[in-house]
Amino acid sequence: MWNHPPVSPRELDVLAQVALGKQNARIARQLGLTESTVKSYLSSAMRKLEAESRYEAVVAARRAGLIP
């Protein structure tokens, strides 16, 4: 059962890019965001997924079926 706050669609966009191994600057360019906005989305998603790293956030999102 999912017990975390909902991860926003934009946070999932960022996590999906992180899962592909992309760095924040590249994610920002591809999604039309600033790098600081990418960091903010990633930080928020990590908090919601109770993850301490980008890697843990991707694993948690995958386990929850939120990203492929």
Side-chain angles (χ1 to χ4, degrees), residues 14-68:
V14 169
L15 280 174
Q17 296 301 307
V18 170
L20 294 173
K22 297 178 183 174
Q23 298 299 316
N24 292 348
R26 185 167 179 198
I27 295 168
R29 283 192 307 275
Q30 289 186 319
L31 297 181
L33 304 169
T34 66
E35 193 169 347
S36 63
T37 300
V38 169
K39 289 177 184 178
S40 178
Y41 281 133
L42 185 54
S43 176
S44 178
M46 287 171 59
R47 187 172 43 258
K48 291 175 182 180
L49 295 167
E50 299 178 359
E52 294 184 21
S53 69
R54 294 163 63 100
Y55 174 77
E56 284 182 17
V58 168
V59 170
R62 283 183 169 155
R63 285 185 178 152
L66 299 173
I67 60 172

